[in-house]
Amino acid sequence: MNDPLITYLAIPLAKTVVILGVLLFIVAYLTLAERKIMAYMQARIGPNRVGPRGLFQPIADVFKLFVKEDLTPTQAERFVFVLAPILIFVPSFLVWAVIPFGDTFTVAGIPIEPVIADINIGILFLMAVASISIYGLILGGWSSNNKFSLMGGLRSAAQLVSYEVPMAFAVVSVLLMAGTLSMVGIVEAQRNMGVWFVIPGLLGFGIYFICGVAETNRNPFDLPEAESELVGGFH
């Protein structure tokens, strides 16, 4: 079938819905697993009220998120204040458009490629889009008309920018081995060579992993969260 409506609209839209749905489901239950494990480590019970053993807690969290009050400071720059979280939220999902998930398969005689968009500069697109969230942090802190929010936003942005550079250099090692910027091309290069690039590029993988932890503000790179300051005061 060569119907343009199916080829250029229906199939990409269906792939987007499926990929985002599965992605959100996995992230939600990974968060639940983390909360359960942390509760066990800290001799607590953890989420156990919603559903059997708390398995429906992520669903309850979604409803709680939608009914939370949306407050805007009186003196805030309203347009920028609303734009800032969009600049953080949208790129985090947009990067998945170029990530392949498997081999081509057929549905009702229509070949389906498990990637939303196979572009020849996929890895460049991924890193460029992912870096947009830094602007969201800066704009969010500035637009709230609060000097402490501004300092917090700048501190978070400074950490992200500082780790973007070594992360990009770590990715370059993969590009040199694959000889292409396409995400699908990189996967195919690994299959043709019969080796995951993480093995010859172990040092680059270690650098990328550390930078990834820092980019997500997880321990021990949780400086932007200010947990030690909020809990321990001046200590």
Side-chain angles (χ1 to χ4, degrees):
M1 297 179 64
N2 295 319
D3 189 345
L5 184 62
I6 295 177
T7 303
Y8 299 108
L9 180 62
I11 293 178
L13 182 61
K15 289 193 288 187
T16 301
V17 171
V18 171
I19 290 174
L20 290 183
V22 173
L23 176 65
L24 290 172
F25 179 85
I26 292 174
V27 170
Y29 278 90
L30 280 176
T31 303
L32 176 63
E34 181 185 28
R35 293 173 67 181
K36 287 282 192 180
I37 294 170
M38 294 299 292
Y40 175 77
M41 294 171 63
Q42 299 166 1
R44 297 185 291 106
I45 296 176
N48 71 334
R49 295 289 183 179
V50 187
R53 297 184 178 273
L55 289 177
F56 296 158
Q57 184 65 46
I59 301 174
D61 289 340
V62 171
F63 286 106
K64 181 186 75 172
L65 181 64
F66 278 114
V67 299
K68 290 184 73 172
E69 186 177 6
D70 185 15
L71 297 175
T72 302
T74 305
Q75 301 298 323
E77 187 71 35
R78 290 183 177 273
F79 174 75
V80 181
F81 191 79
V82 173
L83 178 65
I86 296 175
L87 290 177
I88 298 174
F89 182 80
V90 173
S92 64
F93 286 97
L94 192 59
V95 295
W96 291 90
V98 296
I99 298 178
F101 292 93
D103 287 330
T104 303
F105 58 93
T106 303
V107 176
I110 302 175
I112 305 294
E113 293 184 5
V115 58
I116 298 175
D118 177 19
I119 57 179
N120 57 2
I121 55 168
I123 194 71
L124 183 61
F125 171 86
L126 188 150
M127 300 201 69
V129 170
S131 64
I132 294 176
S133 60
I134 297 173
Y135 295 101
L137 293 172
I138 298 174
L139 292 175
W142 173 80
S143 63
S144 61
N145 194 33
N146 182 298
K147 60 183 178 182
F148 297 105
S149 296
L150 176 58
M151 287 189 291
L154 291 175
R155 180 167 64 172
S156 299
Q159 176 168 308
L160 293 182
V161 170
S162 63
Y163 285 96
E164 286 277 347
V165 176
M167 178 181 284
F169 277 113
V171 171
V172 169
S173 63
V174 174
L175 302 181
L176 292 174
M177 288 184 282
T180 178
L181 291 171
S182 168
M183 296 291 289
V184 175
I186 293 172
V187 174
E188 291 295 334
Q190 292 178 100
R191 179 159 62 178
N192 294 335
M193 296 181 185
V195 61
W196 286 353
F197 289 157
V198 67
I199 297 175
L202 189 60
L203 177 61
F205 171 76
I207 294 173
Y208 189 90
F209 178 79
I210 294 171
C211 293
V213 176
E215 291 276 317
T216 53
N217 299 332
R218 305 307 297 262
N219 288 328
F221 301 97
D222 57 341
L223 177 67
E225 306 295 338
E227 290 182 357
S228 59
E229 299 166 33
L230 295 174
V231 174
F234 66 94
H235 297 292

